[in-house]
Amino acid sequence: MDTLPTLDHAHLAATVPLDRIDVSDPALFRDDVWMPYFARLRRDAPIHYTADSRFGPFWSITRYKDIMQAELAHKTLSSASSLGGITIRDRPKDLELPMFIAMDPPRHDEQRKVVQPIVAPANLARFEGLIRERVIRILEGLPRGETFNWVQHVSIELTVQMLATLFDFPFEDRHKLSFWSDCATADINAGGFIDSEEKREAVFAECAGYFMRLWQERAQKEPRPDLISMLVHGESTKQMPPREFLGNLLLLIVGGNDTTRNSISGGLLFLNRNPDEYRKLRENPALIETMVPEIIRYQTPLSHMRRSAIADTEIGGQVIPAGDKVVMWYISGNRDEEAIEEPDRFIIDRKRARQHLSFGFGIHRCVGNRLAELQLRILWEEILRRFPVIEVMGEPKRVYSAFIHGITELPVRIPA
Ligand code: HEM
């Protein structure tokens, strides 16, 4: 399928034979032209088979209610990394990276239980003060009257500081966290720094070495409410082999990194593209409460999660045969008109705003969802206290990926 931006994608998506539609093409997301293809699939082939793609053959689930059904079918739709893991791209077989998001019960449940308390109300309350302090410092330091990249100055910086807080990670080295995360998720064909699995593994080795030192330090001390200490002292995680230790740390870094970062960038873009909503927000900052989940729905920072069928499984009236790859496209379910009213509109005072698929559903539903919402809420409270408006000055640049749905550059200006 050709994805040159000059194409009339609405026309092409409506007319191309269904068996030629391949929604895994990363260019669809980089060029922001994915919408009509998913609309067509939801309408004409909600459980759709792509026989040939750069990621091999796969099934696409595109409707909200079918995605929920697939999420609940974890007994036959496996997340196991040995079967390929949780993204459409299979983990290379010899470079398996165990982490609990890519495990099935009972191991998944045991390991998840160890880190779940990081988002207990008492911990969230403890983080709130620190996050707010850091948000204020970043906002106060922003340039006025000149154009700068919001992603670099705010989205990345803020997210990295939040992660450093969760891990109690040396603050001066915090940028290593975003570097490792970017390396973990980079598409080797995107023309970036990570252009081979060997290079990725070299970065992982550095990351593992760094964390091993922190691990040993925390093992000598009493348990504390930070993610490393929790894993070090957790009954089902303290004996993890080194590769699984690395995998789980990367899960916690990546899980919180691109997702929160891209929600921070997306929010500002959506408000600028919807000036009436921006005005509504300025007039009534209490709307931040419903705007935050709306931003997360509208951005859908992870386009999909993948499963592998280990037995024939019926979803939405279609039997998915054992052995096949299944992709749940959250980005499509979040635009399903049967589940969400006027889904293509960004509406900051939506009713039932938290009813979206961006955090998944079922046993793997995002551990950090309340934390991500907290971070966004504090950010917008502090922005509105300082800046009547932040203007987007040009088109965003987007990530070349069918998994991370994100923005790499967003030129903005705060009036002097
Ligand atoms: C799982 C999205 C923020 C940690 C997930 C899943 C999604 C997701 C889609 C998989 C759900 C499924 O398979 O059903 C997001 C989004 C975020 C976000 C959109 C921000 C807007 C965070 C943060 C953390 C985090 C801040 C904290 C470190 C995790 C972990 C899992 C997970 C550990 C694995 C859960 C499991 O397998 O049981 N997230 N996430 N996420 N997320 Fe998040």
Side-chain angles (χ1 to χ4, degrees):
M1 204 164 57
D2 196 345
T3 56
L4 291 173
T6 46
L7 282 177
D8 178 351
H9 287 278
H11 176 73
L12 185 63
T15 52
V16 69
L18 279 170
D19 63 358
R20 287 194 45 217
I21 293 184
D22 172 11
V23 283
S24 73
D25 182 350
L28 291 179
F29 303 93
R30 179 200 57 202
D31 301 340
D32 200 30
V33 296
W34 48 274
M35 265 189 280
Y37 298 97
F38 283 108
R40 171 90 188 278
L41 291 191
R42 283 195 304 275
R43 196 190 66 202
D44 294 342
I47 314 287
H48 173 261
Y49 188 67
T50 303
D52 185 24
S53 83
R54 69 200 68 212
F55 306 109
F58 66 95
W59 291 91
S60 284
I61 306 186
T62 53
R63 282 187 183 165
Y64 189 102
K65 68 175 184 350
D66 295 336
I67 292 172
M68 303 271 268
Q69 191 189 350
E71 289 271 21
L72 293 175
H74 60 263
K75 291 204 174 91
T76 58
L77 297 183
S78 165
S79 297
S81 56
S82 56
L83 301 174
I86 47 99
T87 68
I88 191 167
R89 179 190 296 284
D90 294 321
R91 281 288 314 156
K93 283 255 176 314
D94 49 336
L95 298 175
E96 220 196 293
L97 196 59
M99 51 177 77
F100 71 86
I101 197 172
M103 290 177 192
D104 295 324
R107 263 175 91 214
H108 160 268
D109 306 13
E110 290 159 10
Q111 297 197 355
R112 178 178 166 118
K113 230 183 278 162
V114 172
V115 293
Q116 182 85 50
I118 196 79
V119 290
N123 278 333
L124 286 185
R126 208 167 47 85
F127 291 139
E128 172 149 3
L130 246 183
I131 291 177
R132 192 175 299 276
E133 246 171 57
R134 292 174 168 178
V135 165
I136 292 173
R137 202 169 318 132
I138 291 172
L139 293 180
E140 294 285 328
L142 291 176
R144 315 283 168 102
E146 62 182 78
T147 301
F148 64 92
N149 181 7
W150 179 257
V151 177
Q152 199 62 43
H153 280 70
V154 181
S155 314
I156 292 182
E157 192 52 45
L158 204 52
T159 306
V160 157
Q161 294 195 14
M162 177 190 78
L163 285 177
T165 311
L166 296 184
F167 286 103
D168 197 7
F169 192 85
F171 195 68
E172 64 286 1
D173 279 346
R174 65 191 184 279
H175 292 288
K176 287 184 189 292
L177 292 170
S178 55
F179 175 67
W180 294 330
S181 175
D182 288 345
C183 292
T185 56
D187 187 319
I188 54 174
N189 302 311
F193 170 67
I194 298 293
D195 53 9
S196 69
E197 290 301 338
E198 289 71 37
K199 243 191 208 164
R200 202 193 312 268
E201 284 299 310
V203 173
F204 283 175
E206 178 209 319
C207 170
Y210 195 107
F211 271 111
M212 196 50 85
R213 285 195 298 281
L214 295 180
W215 178 277
Q216 279 153 359
E217 236 174 74
R218 311 259 157 115
Q220 311 302 322
K221 297 191 176 142
E222 288 297 299
R224 285 190 319 203
D226 72 67
L227 284 170
I228 301 174
S229 183
M230 283 172 168
L231 290 169
V232 170
H233 295 284
E235 212 36 63
S236 56
T237 46
K238 62 183 177 197
Q239 307 286 5
M240 280 188 292
R243 190 78 185 164
E244 191 164 322
F245 167 59
L246 172 67
N248 273 322
L249 285 168
L250 283 170
L251 163 61
L252 293 162
I253 302 172
V254 173
N257 189 45
D258 289 277
T259 50
T260 312
R261 173 197 303 185
N262 289 313
S263 306
I264 293 173
S265 306
L268 186 57
L269 179 65
F270 307 148
L271 284 169
N272 267 265
R273 290 201 167 159
N274 297 274
D276 288 346
E277 299 300 299
Y278 207 169
R279 197 168 318 118
K280 245 166 44 187
L281 177 68
R282 278 196 297 274
E283 284 165 12
N284 183 7
L287 294 180
I288 290 174
E289 197 65 29
T290 43
M291 177 182 76
V292 164
E294 175 68 349
I295 289 173
I296 295 170
R297 175 189 77 89
Y298 208 66
Q299 177 64 29
T300 315
L302 298 178
S303 306
H304 74 265
M305 282 283 158
R306 165 262 176 95
R307 302 288 185 256
S308 306
I310 50 175
D312 290 0
T313 307
E314 185 270 320
I315 302 288
Q318 168 73 48
V319 174
I320 297 185
D324 281 9
K325 187 189 289 195
V326 183
V327 181
M328 305 176 289
W329 292 102
Y330 301 141
I331 199 163
S332 171
N334 276 343
R335 299 299 181 99
D336 182 349
E337 38 291 288
E338 278 182 20
I340 296 168
E341 227 173 277
E342 298 192 89
D344 289 333
R345 285 188 55 209
F346 175 69
I347 304 174
I348 65 167
D349 49 356
R350 217 176 242 293
K351 297 196 179 65
R352 296 187 302 281
R354 295 194 86 240
Q355 189 198 321
H356 62 69
L357 291 169
S358 297
F359 292 125
F361 189 68
I363 62 165
H364 289 280
R365 182 172 158 84
C366 178
V367 170
N369 70 81
R370 291 290 182 182
L371 191 63
E373 289 178 345
L374 176 72
Q375 170 77 80
L376 287 177
R377 172 170 67 74
I378 295 172
L379 172 67
W380 279 100
E381 283 170 2
E382 297 303 330
I383 288 180
L384 289 181
R385 282 196 186 124
R386 284 171 180 74
F387 310 125
V389 72
I390 303 176
E391 301 162 333
V392 170
M393 304 302 289
E395 283 302 304
K397 282 212 177 91
R398 295 169 194 279
V399 180
Y400 178 82
S401 168
F403 181 59
I404 303 289
H405 185 228
I407 297 171
T408 54
E409 275 181 52
L410 186 67
V412 306
R413 196 177 73 101
I414 301 174

